[in-house]
Amino acid sequence: MRAFDPRVTPARADLAAKELEGEVSAARFVAGRVCEVVEPQAPLRPEPRPDAPLSTEALGGERVTVYDTNAEGWAWGQLESDRYVGWLPRSALAEPGAPPTHKVAVPRTLAFPGPSIKLSPLQALPLGARLAVVRAQGRFAVTQSGAHVPAIHLAPLDAYAADFVAVAERFLGVPYLWGGKTTLGLDCSGLVQVALGACGISCPRDSDMQEAALGGAVSADLADPRRGDLIFWKGHVAIVRDRASLLHANAFHMAVVIELIADAIGRIRGAGEEITSVRRLG
């Protein structure tokens, strides 16, 4: 049997996706069913318990193929966007509604129960959350569920930002959160994934996956750093902002910060890590 990355392979000893039959060993194989994330964001964890580490987050409107559920209210499945596998709260999932038409194009917006900003919001939606908009009402886009979202904060699914570094810069000051992907907290690879996704660039979830999949290698001595270059260390990624500075979510500052490239390299080198590669997109 071939070896598969368990982070993106829906297979366990007792159960696996039907499509993997003959490729992995499992006691049984199931087809799974597609669900939709109906919360602004939902935690995906490696184990079905609330104190398990956060692997990543699924954003509102995302599709998830569910292969298993348990009596404690958890669903085991695979995200459609980046193929990540894990356990999500069943309460965050529902049968798919109408296909999404729009996405949130700002770091965070609010969904109201009616066409007034004086009403108490129903939800706070993160950048990248997807919505099925059925009509316009004044300055609001009305979703299939009846939520009213400021139209100025949405974009059609096929509209993309031009500069992923500028998107990432909008998260300056956001707390560092292992596995996070929103303004409530995100990690280094989550920042890269969300920013690239806003520009229509497919991006794996974790930094080692990103290092293997994104762009082409350029000199790791950073003699000619360019805006948008990605600098990788073991377990970490940062975005070059200009010739002198970079932007990253990191546990040293516990936030998304701008830092001098030389300072970051020196600090991380002091912790025993060297640059493993620099990747350039496009």
Side-chain angles (χ1 to χ4, degrees):
M1 295 289 180
R2 277 173 52 197
F4 291 88
D5 188 334
R7 294 172 294 180
V8 291
T9 307
R12 311 185 316 228
D14 64 320
L15 180 149
K18 184 71 174 176
E19 66 194 54
L20 296 174
E21 192 166 6
E23 298 188 62
V24 301
S25 296
R28 62 190 179 99
F29 294 86
V30 299
R33 63 185 180 91
V34 176
C35 293
E36 178 180 346
V37 177
V38 292
E39 295 294 332
Q41 67 266 346
L44 183 144
R45 304 184 188 277
E47 299 174 29
R49 50 187 179 83
D51 61 344
L54 182 64
S55 297
T56 187
E57 292 180 304
L59 303 183
E62 184 166 1
R63 268 43 176 181
V64 182
T65 301
V66 173
Y67 296 100
D68 190 22
T69 59
N70 68 16
E72 287 72 47
W74 292 88
W76 185 73
Q78 183 172 38
L79 306 184
E80 181 181 82
S81 60
D82 59 19
R83 316 304 293 167
Y84 223 98
V85 174
W87 292 92
L88 302 100
R90 288 172 60 186
S91 60
L93 304 175
E95 293 296 318
T101 60
H102 290 71
K103 60 190 175 184
V104 176
V106 295
R108 183 75 66 169
T109 191
L110 299 175
F112 298 92
S116 172
I117 60 173
K118 296 181 180 180
L119 299 173
S120 296
L122 298 169
Q123 291 180 321
L125 303 169
L127 177 72
R130 297 182 166 214
L131 306 167
V133 173
V134 295
R135 61 185 174 88
Q137 185 172 357
R139 297 173 59 194
F140 293 92
V142 184
T143 70
Q144 182 191 34
S145 66
H148 290 61
V149 182
I152 197 171
H153 289 171
L154 302 182
L157 289 184
D158 60 357
Y160 300 112
D163 181 358
F164 88 92
V165 183
V167 176
E169 287 173 333
R170 301 176 80 174
F171 287 85
L172 279 171
V174 168
Y176 180 86
L177 174 65
W178 182 276
K181 289 176 56 174
T182 78
T183 54
L184 297 179
L186 39 63
D187 60 16
C188 64
S189 55
L191 177 65
V192 170
Q193 187 186 51
V194 168
L196 287 176
C199 296
I201 301 172
S202 179
C203 178
R205 178 58 179 88
D206 294 340
S207 62
D208 64 317
M209 299 172 173
Q210 294 171 355
E211 185 172 18
L214 296 175
V218 296
S219 176
D221 65 10
L222 291 168
D224 181 31
R226 298 184 188 177
R227 183 176 175 88
D229 285 353
L230 299 174
I231 306 175
F232 290 92
W233 294 265
K234 182 180 180 181
H236 188 61
V237 59
I239 304 166
V240 173
R241 183 171 171 266
D242 54 37
R243 291 185 61 86
S245 66
L246 55 74
L247 173 76
H248 57 161
N250 69 92
F252 178 80
H253 296 96
M254 286 305 296
V256 178
V257 299
I258 292 172
E259 188 173 9
L260 292 176
I261 292 174
D263 289 352
I265 291 174
R267 178 172 55 77
I268 295 174
R269 179 174 291 154
E273 297 294 340
E274 297 287 344
I275 292 173
T276 55
S277 73
V278 179
R279 313 289 296 183
R280 182 165 294 164
L281 306 177

